[in-house]
Amino acid sequence: MEGSLASALFATSPNAVMAVGLDGVVAAANPAADALFGSDPAQRRKAVATILPSLGQGAPLAFDLEDSPCRKATRRLTTCNADGERLDLDLQCVPFEHDGTPYVAIFIHDITASASAERALQTLRTQIATNWRLNSLGELAALVAHELNQPLAAITNYLHIAANHSAGREDVREPIMQATAQTHRATETIRRFRSLTARQAVSFEPVDARELISEILPLLMLVTREADAELKLDTGQTRAFVCDRIQIQQVLLNLVRNAAEASRGVAGALVSMRCEERDGSVLWSVSDNGRGVPESIRPELFKPAVSTKADGMGLGLSICRSIVEAHGGRIALEETSGGATFTFWLPLDPPA
């Protein structure tokens, strides 16, 4: 009875199980292992050589050594199945003997789907972070150019006046002209830098709102969890709208991060995100129950270098506004009795 029950468990296990001899030959495999690696002996031996290289190389395993590969805890491995497709596996190897012959039992859990989703999320996170840094650089370049161009223009005007009053004084006029040339050079350098860091063109595509949120949901959860805040989502039924997917995800992630930080330390900290279709537009709102936005900075809130954070650069909301406006939409801080609510509208169709 015990033997037949063990055979049934072996055969019906959803995880792959193989019994491998010291020569690398698979002595037994359950159907789940056959599904992963096939039943061809050569293909199985190749799979075993990847899992336990010492077996594949014909080297004997020392079962009595604590550091033997067979005695290590569960570990992750990347290999290929019988069709050459990538497999991500969690496996554990356990040495045993049967009729005096040593074997290695290899227990394999296929995590290919979850690992693929994790890689996709990491790729998205990297892409969002890279684009956000580029946007930050462009916004900062615009701010620096604006702040420097005005005094440079004033300097150029003053030098022009000085040059007019230095007629007949070549010893004075020459340095003035050189200073004017250097001022023009500085202005051109700023212009080129601004052009180099200008925001890239928006790439429009039809996007489903729920799909857009689901892609970044793990990132949103991570941001709110770090602030000990609860994330509440309310995504109504909307038609697909046209936007740059990554840029809108940047806006949402930044607004949720701001809301989470604003509600940090508040009892029952809550960040709410809502999406609905209204009057030919997709309406997004992100709310929190934090300390709110001081009245003194509300009129300047979306301008560069304005921040409610002591260590903030004040570029986040400015970038959000630029992205939303590039989509033909608008963003605003709504009046609320407590906390803050940021709302932005995006047209269903892209701007002409």
Side-chain angles (χ1 to χ4, degrees), residues 22 60-71 95-97 102:
L22 294 187
L61 289 174
F63 288 116
D64 57 336
L65 296 179
E66 288 299 324
D67 60 350
S68 168
C70 295
R71 295 188 182 276
F96 72 100
E97 289 189 4

Side-chain angles (χ1 to χ4, degrees), residues 34-298:
D34 288 341
L36 280 180
F37 304 115
S39 57
D40 178 67
Q43 184 65 34
R44 283 177 166 179
R45 189 181 183 98
K46 181 180 178 182
V48 169
T50 303
I51 295 172
L52 290 176
S54 56
L55 282 177
Q57 296 165 6
L61 289 174
F63 288 116
D64 57 336
L65 296 179
E66 288 299 324
D67 60 350
S68 168
C70 295
R71 295 188 182 276
K72 290 186 177 179
T74 302
R75 53 201 173 104
R76 182 166 295 188
L77 174 81
T78 299
T79 184
C80 295
N81 63 12
D83 297 325
E85 299 171 340
R86 173 174 175 148
L87 288 176
D88 293 281
L89 309 172
D90 275 345
L91 60 94
Q92 188 170 19
C93 303
V94 179
F96 72 100
E97 289 189 4
H98 180 68
D99 292 338
T101 303
Y103 293 93
V104 179
I106 306 178
F107 300 90
I108 303 169
H109 178 48
D110 186 3
I111 58 168
T112 302
S114 60
S116 177
E118 183 179 325
R119 287 193 299 272
L121 178 61
Q122 182 58 42
T123 299
L124 178 62
R125 177 187 296 178
T126 301
Q127 189 174 6
I128 288 177
T130 299
N131 285 6
W132 189 260
R133 285 194 293 269
L134 291 175
N135 285 333
S136 298
L137 181 59
E139 203 74 18
L140 184 60
L143 175 61
V144 171
H146 176 74
E147 294 299 324
L148 290 181
N149 279 333
Q150 289 186 343
L152 284 173
I155 292 171
T156 300
N157 290 333
Y158 284 128
L159 287 173
H160 181 70
I161 294 173
N164 290 337
H165 286 78
S166 64
R169 294 284 308 276
E170 289 302 321
D171 58 329
V172 175
R173 185 177 179 83
E174 181 61 25
I176 292 176
M177 299 306 295
Q178 291 182 3
T180 301
Q182 292 301 317
T183 303
H184 287 310
R185 180 184 176 188
T187 302
E188 179 62 18
T189 299
I190 293 172
R191 186 194 67 78
R192 291 180 180 177
F193 178 66
R194 178 69 185 94
S195 176
L196 180 66
T197 58
R199 181 174 290 108
Q200 298 178 347
V202 179
S203 177
F204 290 111
E205 62 175 331
V207 172
D208 178 79
R210 293 182 177 179
E211 179 184 337
L212 183 146
I213 294 176
S214 67
E215 289 178 354
I216 60 170
L217 183 57
L219 300 180
L220 300 176
M221 296 291 293
L222 178 62
V223 167
T224 51
R225 188 163 55 245
E226 287 177 346
D228 293 324
E230 178 188 352
L231 176 64
K232 180 181 178 182
L233 296 177
D234 181 6
T235 54
Q237 188 66 39
T238 66
R239 287 176 288 169
F241 65 103
V242 180
C243 71
D244 185 303
R245 177 190 300 264
I246 296 296
Q247 289 199 357
I248 298 305
Q249 287 173 335
Q250 288 176 13
V251 173
L252 292 171
L253 187 57
N254 188 72
L255 292 179
V256 169
R257 180 181 291 109
N258 287 349
E261 292 177 354
S263 58
R264 186 188 297 272
V266 175
L270 177 65
V271 176
S272 302
M273 177 191 292
R274 185 178 182 183
C275 173
E276 61 179 309
E277 183 177 333
R278 185 186 299 177
D279 300 329
S281 299
V282 179
L283 172 64
W284 300 84
S285 64
V286 176
S287 306
D288 64 75
N289 59 349
R291 56 185 177 273
V293 179
E295 289 286 346
S296 58
I297 68 170
R298 287 193 174 198

